[in-house]
Amino acid sequence: MTTELITLQTGTRATVVGFTGPQGFAWKLRTIGIREGKTLTVVARHPFGGPVVVSVDGRAVTLGRGMARRVLVDVQA
């Protein structure tokens, strides 16, 4: 099931399948290790519109909610 990263709950594992938005946005995420085919885990969702923290390749990466809305993932069962 493909969905936006922002919709996932803490502890959920998913595989990145793509991005929405401008080309530069996808390039920026790829430079920090979030690229198609990578598996990530949601570590934290901060309240009150705060950022989403994901773990990719053993590193914690913090994404604003606007960015997390543009990352398309396939949830692992």
Side-chain angles (χ1 to χ4, degrees):
M1 172 179 91
T2 301
T3 188
E4 298 171 340
L5 176 60
I6 191 72
T7 64
L8 303 183
Q9 297 300 315
T10 302
T12 305
R13 290 177 54 100
T15 302
V16 178
V17 294
F19 307 101
T20 60
Q23 186 90 17
F25 172 75
W27 177 82
K28 180 175 182 167
L29 287 181
R30 287 181 187 120
T31 62
I32 61 173
I34 299 174
R35 58 180 54 96
E36 294 88 342
K38 287 284 188 176
T39 299
L40 52 81
T41 304
V42 178
V43 176
R45 289 175 42 114
H46 294 279
F48 308 113
V52 176
V53 182
V54 296
S55 174
V56 179
D57 292 335
R59 295 181 312 137
V61 178
T62 302
L63 299 173
R65 288 187 182 256
M67 293 178 83
R69 234 176 241 109
R70 294 180 173 192
V71 178
L72 301 176
V73 296
D74 190 17
V75 178
Q76 297 180 356

